[in-house]
């Protein structure tokens, strides 16, 4: 579990119980967002089909967003005296499986949509938990959720027809 370390040069402006609770949700969100960026990049390299070009570019947009969001989350944790952990082993231990190899464009849309659903669902739980401890962190999660839901909509719209 990630907590504000005693003796750390960075301390939180919040009481220790709130900081520790935020450490848990921020770390979980960080792992989810790093994983989302990696999965989207994997799909970006391996998508095939009629909608290859459009989906290839759309996936890169999602990668950029997820990377920026993960940086925002990690920096919020650091600002609260919580050491963020974005190491590969940490992220992998919390990650869901994703297929390897080339994937048809429609399957990629379905897989990425499902991954976005899962990340948004967990972020909503983190948002609620953060709201009782720190409205600033809650607001960070609200902004990320809004953007990921927009991305989800744009992926899901490709499943019609």
């Amino acid at each position: 579990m990630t907590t504000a370390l005693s003796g750390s040069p960075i301390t939180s402006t919040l009481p220790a119980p709130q900081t520790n609770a935020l450490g848990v949700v921020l770390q979980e969100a960080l792992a989810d967002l790093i994983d989302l960026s990696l999965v989207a990049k994997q799909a970006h390299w391996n998508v095939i089909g009629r909608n290859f070009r459009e989906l290839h570019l759309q996936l890169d947009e999602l990668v950029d967003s997820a990377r920026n969001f993960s940086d925002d989350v990690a920096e919020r944790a650091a600002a609260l005296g919580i050491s963020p952990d974005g190491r590969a082993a940490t992220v992998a231990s919390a990650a869901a499986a994703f297929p390897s190899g080339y994937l048809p464009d429609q399957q990629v849309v379905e897989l990425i949509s499902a991954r976005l659903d899962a990340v948004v669902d967990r972020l909503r739980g983190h948002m609620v938990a953060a709201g009782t401890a720190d409205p600033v962190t809650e607001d960070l999660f609200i902004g990320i959720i809004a953007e990921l839901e927009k991305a989800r909509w744009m992926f899901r719209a490709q499943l019609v027809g």
Side-chain angles (χ1 to χ4, degrees), residues 26-39 66 70 74 84-97 115 119 122:
L26 286 164
Q27 182 58 46
E28 289 175 2
L30 178 61
D32 279 345
L33 292 165
I34 292 171
D35 179 59
L36 178 62
S37 73
L38 294 171
V39 164
S70 65
D85 187 354
R87 295 173 300 159
T90 302
V91 173
S93 70
R115 186 60 60 104
V119 171
R122 283 190 296 275

Side-chain angles (χ1 to χ4, degrees), residues 20-63:
N20 292 339
L22 289 169
V24 171
V25 297
L26 286 164
Q27 182 58 46
E28 289 175 2
L30 178 61
D32 279 345
L33 292 165
I34 292 171
D35 179 59
L36 178 62
S37 73
L38 294 171
V39 164
K41 191 52 111 169
Q42 176 69 19
H44 163 88
W45 292 323
N46 287 286
V47 64
I48 55 174
R50 291 190 150 194
N51 296 320
F52 163 79
R53 175 100 173 119
E54 178 183 335
L55 195 49
H56 182 78
L57 296 173
Q58 187 180 14
L59 287 161
D60 253 352
E61 292 171 1
L62 180 58
V63 169

